Amino acid sequence: MTSPSACDGAVSVRPTGAGKFRVGVAGASGYGGAETLRWLANHPGFEVCGVTSRRNAGKAVAAVHPHLAGFYEGLTFVATPEELLQTSPDAVVMALPHHFAAAYADILHRIFPELRIVDLSGDHRLDDADLYRAHYGADHPHPETLRSGAWIYGLTEMNRDAVARARLVANPGCFATGALLAALPLARCGLIDGAVRHVAMTGSSGSGIEAKAGTHHPERTGDVKAYKILAHQHVPEISLCLSRVGMDRAKRWMMVPQSGPFARGIFTTLFVDLPEGTDEAAVRNAFDNEYADAPFVRMRNGTPRLGHVRNTNFCDIAVTVADGVAVVLSAIDNLGKGMASQAIQNLNLMFGFDETTGLLVPGSRP
Ligand SMILES: NC(=O)c1ccc[n+]([C@@H]2O[C@H](COP(=O)([O-])OP(=O)(O)OC[C@H]3O[C@@H](n4cnc5c(N)ncnc54)[C@H](OP(=O)(O)O)[C@@H]3O)[C@@H](O)[C@H]2O)c1
């Protein structure tokens, strides 16, 4: 058990005595919340102290998430952020819809300014209120937070040190995670010439736990379709993030998201024109150098496979270079590295643990 004051400071914070840091999960009845609970169930440094759901308030965790039976006995959902704070969390993971998340974070932060928060929504990833309105369809409830610099973008592999010092972390979008890990080495080494073409296929869990016409099983199984063509909300997040390692933010990034006939995973394909004269060795060196110390990025030959990363925190990447073009493929679990397990990776750093703590689960054969 810890007191909130034990969390002042950054990398050196440790739980007091034999206790664990206390984590609350807001929106714990949804897919991201459930996945966060799954990853925290056996974590050696964190214990879940509270969970919220407006519609399931008063119910036990296992009544809503039967797959978690036996892990959270005695823990019941509460409805409000105020009730969540009464469970004395050191940190809260917010798995809430965008727009509501920013308002929720504001409440948490006003009541308990020392609280560490990891936001899984898109509400704290951008730096511009107009961009937010254009891509999320409404005014940001607290636009002042976008330019404040208080929220650190939680692509762990890129921002390890800043995340370790952060109180507030904006977890990346799932498509953005798959694309950024594929593009980061090339952007950092100035190996992106011209527009980037980005095709990415996601599973149905990407749209959350509520059944919708587009995620209904008969509509989705056995079918593939594109959506939000050249208009996905993760593109500005990708451009902003890569501009921080030297890519021109105005560079054209052409994304075609696709919905695939499976529940979990994102398979990303990037087509990148290389500067004239770039050889394959330069491209491979860029990836090897970028990810030499990245325990969750695995370079593969030929192609990554979704089946090998499902239920893990891994991002598998493969690169092919021919005729001045690099084709970069990546595979992640959208609910894992694209969401909940990356949130735990960030929480690990924020509380002074090794980033792999509780996360080194191998993939499985399909
Ligand atoms: N699914 C993915 O692959 C993925 C990946 C990365 C990031 N994200 C982002 O992560 C967030 C959560 O996604 P998800 O897939 O877990 O969504 P979800 O399955 O729909 O779950 C949303 C949760 O938020 C609660 N909620 C809904 N409206 C609320 C409100 N106004 N105030 C408070 N709680 C509310 C819901 O429970 P109650 O209605 O009972 O309160 C539910 O527990 C979203 O912002 C999403 O964009 C999703």
Side-chain angles (χ1 to χ4, degrees):
M1 302 276 277
T2 62
S3 67
S5 59
C7 297
D8 289 338
V11 186
S12 60
V13 288
R14 293 284 178 202
T16 52
K20 298 179 176 186
F21 288 111
R22 295 167 67 81
V23 178
V25 182
S29 60
Y31 280 150
E35 195 65 3
T36 303
L37 293 176
R38 188 175 74 83
W39 282 103
L40 287 175
N42 282 321
H43 196 288
F46 297 121
E47 64 181 338
V48 175
C49 58
V51 286
T52 75
S53 162
R54 297 161 309 165
R55 284 175 289 182
N56 295 290
K59 289 187 191 164
V61 168
V64 175
H65 298 307
H67 64 294
L68 296 176
F71 286 92
Y72 290 106
E73 298 301 316
L75 189 63
T76 53
F77 287 92
V78 295
T80 67
E82 291 81 3
E83 289 170 287
L84 184 63
L85 286 179
Q86 281 167 16
T87 67
S88 303
D90 298 299
V92 167
V93 176
M94 294 196 318
L96 303 170
H98 61 78
H99 203 63
F100 298 109
Y104 208 94
D106 184 64
I107 295 170
L108 293 175
H109 203 235
R110 266 191 290 117
I111 299 174
F112 183 9
E114 303 303 307
L115 186 71
R116 282 171 166 77
I117 303 175
V118 179
D119 178 11
L120 304 186
S121 86
D123 277 359
H124 298 101
R125 300 178 193 148
L126 298 177
D127 63 350
D128 184 297
D130 293 336
L131 210 50
Y132 179 90
R133 187 185 314 106
H135 288 275
Y136 287 92
D139 284 329
H140 195 286
H142 294 281
E144 71 284 356
T145 59
L146 297 179
R147 287 211 178 269
S148 71
W151 288 85
I152 299 301
Y153 189 69
L155 186 72
T156 326
E157 285 68 20
M158 178 179 163
N159 281 339
R160 250 184 214 98
D161 293 344
V163 166
R165 290 190 300 271
R167 218 173 266 297
L168 306 173
V169 167
N171 227 52
C174 47
F175 278 119
T177 297
L180 283 168
L181 290 173
L184 185 59
L186 299 176
R188 198 189 294 284
C189 294
L191 294 178
I192 300 181
D193 196 31
V196 177
R197 289 156 177 83
H198 172 192
V199 178
M201 185 177 289
T202 184
S204 50
S205 62
S207 347
I209 202 163
E210 289 288 310
K212 303 176 189 90
T215 54
H216 189 41
H217 182 74
E219 292 296 322
R220 188 106 185 200
T221 188
D223 199 12
V224 169
K225 67 175 183 186
Y227 65 103
K228 293 190 181 175
I229 298 165
L230 302 180
H232 196 275
Q233 67 272 18
H234 288 179
V235 170
E237 171 185 339
I238 292 167
S239 298
L240 173 60
C241 185
L242 293 179
S243 74
R244 291 174 174 150
V245 296
M247 193 185 87
D248 181 354
R249 193 170 173 180
K251 186 180 280 296
R252 193 109 198 266
W253 188 282
M254 294 185 278
M255 176 180 178
V256 180
Q258 301 173 339
S259 66
F262 47 88
R264 295 172 80 121
I266 294 181
F267 193 92
T268 298
T269 305
L270 297 186
F271 300 84
V272 179
D273 291 330
L274 299 166
E276 210 175 318
T278 306
D279 61 13
E280 182 172 343
V283 174
R284 297 211 175 276
N285 282 341
F287 279 86
D288 290 345
N289 292 338
E290 185 74 40
Y291 296 129
D293 298 315
F296 292 110
V297 178
R298 303 187 297 194
M299 297 305 298
R300 315 307 294 254
N301 292 324
T303 180
R305 290 176 59 171
L306 279 187
H308 295 174
V309 298
R310 277 205 190 101
N311 299 305
T312 81
N313 191 48
F314 289 111
C315 174
D316 285 1
I317 297 178
V319 186
T320 301
V321 178
D323 301 327
V325 173
V327 173
V328 190
L329 309 172
S330 76
I332 59 168
D333 185 327
N334 56 300
L335 300 178
K337 181 62 180 164
M339 194 188 202
S341 56
Q342 181 156 236
I344 310 301
Q345 196 180 352
N346 287 326
L347 270 187
N348 279 338
L349 292 171
M350 294 162 80
F351 284 89
F353 298 115
D354 186 275
E355 73 183 81
T356 62
T357 308
L359 294 174
L360 275 177
V361 173
S364 51
R365 292 200 72 130

